[in-house]
Amino acid sequence: MGHSIHNACAVALAISCLIVAASAGSFYDEMDITFGGERAKISNGGQDLSLSLDQYSGSGFQSKHEYLFGRFDMQLKLVPGNSAGTVTTFYLSSQGAGHDEIDFEFLGNTTGSPYTIHTNVYSQGKGDKEQQFHLWFDPTAAFHTYTIVWNAQRIIFLIDNIPVRVFNNHEAAGVPFPKSQPMRVYASLWNADDWATQGGRVKTDWKNAPFTAYYRKFNANADKVGPNSRSTSSVNDNQAWRTQGVDAAGRNRIRWVQNKHMIYNYCNDRTRFTNGLPAECKRSRFL
């Protein structure tokens, strides 16, 4: 009896530790620096991470774990001032041929001009599903939360918990949907002045280097896969992401964002899709 109580306590303690680890989201525990060397810095006891870009290199990191579905939150503060030519990213991706990917990319601009938020979804190696937005706040002045919800029914992009885009699963209409390839979380800061700012017309001004973006409060409420693949969600009460959709209030917020702040939608680009718009564009965006 005493032995079983001890075991139960040990299990309870392990679960409580897992919950702490999941909610604390220490970058030391969750992420590996992938490139850039000293340009990527973890600080504040693992709570903060900064990426820098100079003429020689950008920098980036990736999650130690792979996931198959979940809710992924990250707070970012973007490169201030003249950020033209730079791209800051937070995204999910699998590896190899025919990869899946869910993207937040932040395209810098000249001082005083708004950042472009670039979103895209790849499935089985094919993307071409871009939507772009300008923000209703200055993303360089303070941290804001960027969220990807990924479940079997849909992908939802949120900013400060406001849904800005939904990509529904339309496999029944022949549209590939990412659902079988585990993905890692990635983030990077790099130079893309051949295309990022005004189609590449505005180049990076290296007099402003190094450029630095800041990340904090990463949280993955998600299903881990692979070795040591105990799900973080198995110890979390909040699994709303598994079936999360967009309610009436959320649909109103999406309409507001898309009417006021969307600057590109592939579903409206008839010059690009000369043989007809993609199948999912003919269906309701917000169900």
Side-chain angles (χ1 to χ4, degrees):
M1 180 72 178
H3 182 65
S4 62
I5 289 174
H6 176 267
N7 284 349
C9 289
V11 169
L13 182 61
I15 289 174
S16 68
C17 290
L18 280 170
I19 291 172
V20 168
S23 59
S26 166
F27 284 115
Y28 287 123
D29 297 335
E30 299 283 349
M31 298 296 174
D32 290 321
I33 305 301
T34 50
F35 72 101
E38 293 299 308
R39 294 171 185 82
K41 291 187 174 66
I42 299 175
S43 59
N44 191 22
Q47 296 306 298
D48 298 328
L49 197 158
S50 63
L51 295 179
S52 291
L53 163 69
D54 58 31
Q55 276 177 281
Y56 305 101
S57 179
S59 50
F61 61 89
Q62 70 179 38
S63 62
K64 293 180 185 291
H65 301 293
E66 291 184 299
Y67 306 93
L68 190 64
F69 304 131
R71 177 185 172 119
F72 306 88
D73 298 280
M74 185 83 79
Q75 291 195 354
L76 279 80
K77 185 163 68 169
L78 300 179
V79 175
N82 182 359
S83 57
T86 71
V87 175
T88 307
T89 69
F90 165 51
Y91 64 102
L92 305 176
S93 183
S94 66
Q95 293 299 305
H99 80 293
D100 295 343
E101 190 172 320
I102 305 170
D103 291 338
F104 265 122
E105 295 187 323
F106 306 90
L107 313 185
N109 219 323
T110 50
T111 304
S113 298
Y115 264 79
T116 295
I117 308 304
H118 177 97
T119 65
N120 202 355
V121 175
Y122 288 77
S123 186
Q124 300 169 26
K126 184 170 171 51
D128 299 333
K129 301 185 187 305
E130 303 92 342
Q131 290 184 357
Q132 295 183 338
F133 308 85
H134 284 160
L135 291 169
W136 50 95
F137 54 83
D138 178 356
T140 73
F143 282 94
H144 292 268
T145 303
Y146 302 88
T147 301
I148 296 169
V149 172
W150 171 36
N151 59 39
Q153 298 86 44
R154 64 192 59 84
I155 294 161
I156 310 172
F157 297 81
L158 303 102
I159 300 175
D160 292 334
N161 231 26
I162 295 171
V164 299
R165 176 178 185 180
V166 178
F167 184 81
N168 289 303
N169 183 339
H170 287 302
E171 285 181 306
V175 180
F177 185 85
K179 68 171 189 181
S180 57
Q181 299 191 70
M183 297 201 249
R184 292 185 193 272
V185 177
Y186 292 86
S188 57
L189 173 58
W190 50 289
N191 177 45
D193 67 2
D194 55 330
W195 64 270
T197 304
Q198 297 176 33
R201 289 190 295 276
V202 182
K203 302 300 183 184
T204 304
D205 184 351
W206 294 109
K207 292 197 301 292
N208 297 313
F211 303 95
T212 304
Y214 299 90
Y215 294 76
R216 72 180 189 190
K217 296 191 176 177
F218 169 69
N219 190 58
N221 187 353
D223 286 338
K224 293 178 186 173
V225 297
N228 308 314
S229 61
R230 183 164 187 166
S231 165
T232 52
S233 291
S234 66
V235 296
N236 256 318
D237 290 334
N238 180 13
Q239 298 196 17
W241 60 265
R242 289 190 183 278
T243 56
Q244 186 168 337
V246 181
D247 61 12
R251 289 194 290 274
N252 285 337
R253 297 313 296 271
I254 284 190
R255 289 190 188 102
W256 171 76
V257 170
Q258 298 203 349
N259 288 335
K260 300 288 189 186
H261 300 283
M262 178 182 274
I263 58 171
Y264 177 80
N265 182 1
Y266 76 107
C267 277
N268 296 334
D269 195 342
R270 295 182 182 277
T271 59
R272 177 181 176 188
F273 298 104
T274 52
N275 294 324
L277 294 173
E280 69 273 15
C281 296
K282 302 175 180 67
R283 288 159 169 77
S284 172
R285 293 171 291 170
F286 307 133
L287 289 179

